[in-house]
């Protein structure tokens, strides 16, 4: 039985990835901060799909705890064939209003943890000649949304670079770039999303289904939803001054994106 490790696995896209991968027959290692919630999700998934589920509580803003997850990924006796770097969060305040501690935590989780966990998992996958790295990014990485957008831009470009390094190894790397997804993300960040039109919202299950389908095909960037395929193309090819103006209006409206 193959094994998948998912960070941020107890809610939102992470929980959808856990369900989808368990339905495929993967055993799971679920990573999140809260032991009780991890245990509850593990029990639910085992009961529903009959797969083995291990839990690994970790705060990915803490370097020692990140390293504990990295050691689990590098363990040759319990190989991980699929790594989903999903953990993330957003901040409500703009860069000038937010604390530097919150900004640093954002980078620790969205950038540093993704790099360190990918680096821990990939050598074993390459040695075995198979595996999938799935990094949850965001369409926010193509616009100017301060530290969050910059972090997601890094995730996408990092994944594209790793995919090039992996060519011919049998291992794939996919950056998943959703738009607005109905999860706990915005509520936890206390973001007011009342102004977002209905047509812009996606379901977590649809995003995950598209992500796994694209990863199976070896696609490097996965964008779910035709509306976001169009918006992503526009954001990438519009003149940058126009993209910056769009980003300024977005920050003024108090919007946010899925981590």
């Amino acid at each position: 039985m193959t094994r998948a490790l998912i960070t941020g696995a107890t809610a939102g896209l992470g929980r959808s990835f856990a369900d989808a991968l368990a339905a495929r027959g993967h055993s799971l290692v679920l990573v999140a901060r809260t032991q009780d919630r991890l245990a509850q999700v593990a029990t639910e998934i085992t009961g529903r799909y009959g797969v083995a589920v291990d839990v690994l509580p970790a705060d990915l803003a803490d370097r020692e705890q990140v390293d504990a997850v990295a050691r689990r990924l590098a363990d040759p006796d319990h190989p991980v064939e699929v790594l989903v770097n999903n953990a993330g969060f957003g901040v409500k305040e703009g860069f000038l209003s937010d604390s530097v501690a919150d900004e640093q935590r954002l980078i620790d989780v969205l950038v540093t943890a993704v790099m360190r966990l990918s680096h821990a998992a990939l050598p074993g996958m390459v040695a075995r000649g198979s595996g999938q790295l799935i990094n949850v990014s965001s369409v926010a990485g193509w616009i100017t949304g301060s530290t969050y957008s910059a972090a997601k831009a890094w995730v996408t470009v990092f994944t594209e670079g790793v995919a090039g390094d992996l060519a011919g190894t049998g291992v794939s790397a996919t950056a998943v770039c959703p738009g607005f997804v109905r999860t706990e993300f915005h509520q936890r960040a206390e973001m007011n999303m009342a102004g977002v039109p209905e047509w812009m919202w996606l379901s977590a299950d649809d995003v995950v289904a598209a992500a796994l389908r694209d990863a199976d095909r070896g696609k490097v960037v996965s964008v779910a939803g035709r509306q976001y395929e169009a918006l992503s193309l526009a954001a990438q090819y519009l003149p940058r001054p126009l993209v910056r103006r769009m980003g300024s209006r977005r920050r003024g409206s108090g919007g946010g994106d899925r981590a």
Side-chain angles (χ1 to χ4, degrees), residues 79-81 121-132 166-172:
V80 171
E81 286 81 8
L122 287 173
M125 293 183 187
V126 170
R128 293 186 295 272
S130 65
Q132 293 178 330
L166 293 171
T169 66
V171 182
S172 66

Side-chain angles (χ1 to χ4, degrees), residues 90-91 138 140 148 179-181 185-186 189 191-193 196 201 250 253-259:
V91 292
S138 173
Y148 182 85
F180 292 109
V181 184
F185 176 80
H186 301 102
M191 295 176 178
N192 179 9
M193 308 307 296
V196 179
W201 289 100
R250 173 182 171 276
S253 67
D257 294 271
R258 171 73 182 100

Side-chain angles (χ1 to χ4, degrees), residues 3-6 21 26 80-84 125 131-134:
R3 183 178 290 105
L5 186 147
I6 306 158
L21 289 166
H26 294 282
V80 171
E81 286 81 8
V82 181
L83 168 60
V84 181
M125 293 183 187
Q132 293 178 330
L133 171 65
I134 299 174

Side-chain angles (χ1 to χ4, degrees), residues 95-248:
F95 181 73
L96 297 180
S97 303
D98 198 22
S99 72
V100 71
D102 285 344
E103 296 289 320
Q104 183 63 62
R105 180 176 173 82
L106 192 77
I107 291 174
D108 290 341
V109 175
L110 272 63
V111 175
T112 303
V114 171
M115 181 274 292
R116 295 182 75 87
L117 298 185
S118 299
H119 195 272
L122 287 173
M125 293 183 187
V126 170
R128 293 186 295 272
S130 65
Q132 293 178 330
L133 171 65
I134 299 174
N135 292 329
V136 177
S137 186
S138 173
V139 297
W142 289 306
I143 63 173
T144 56
S146 202
T147 306
Y148 182 85
S149 285
K152 290 304 187 182
W154 182 91
V155 172
T156 300
V157 175
F158 168 73
T159 307
E160 290 178 303
V162 169
D165 292 340
L166 293 171
T169 66
V171 182
S172 66
T174 301
V176 180
C177 298
F180 292 109
V181 184
R182 293 199 180 281
T183 68
E184 299 176 1
F185 176 80
H186 301 102
Q187 292 90 333
R188 288 165 61 186
E190 299 181 348
M191 295 176 178
N192 179 9
M193 308 307 296
V196 179
E198 183 64 28
W199 64 267
M200 293 187 71
W201 289 100
L202 301 170
S203 78
D205 288 346
D206 287 346
V207 172
V208 168
L212 293 178
R213 184 169 60 248
D214 288 340
D216 289 343
R217 295 171 178 171
K219 191 172 182 180
V220 178
V221 178
S222 175
V223 180
R226 292 186 177 180
Q227 69 273 50
Y228 285 108
E229 290 176 357
L231 289 170
S232 296
L233 284 172
Q236 291 177 78
Y237 294 109
L238 284 172
R240 293 305 294 174
L242 179 57
V243 173
R244 288 194 291 272
R245 287 199 294 274
M246 291 168 59
S248 296

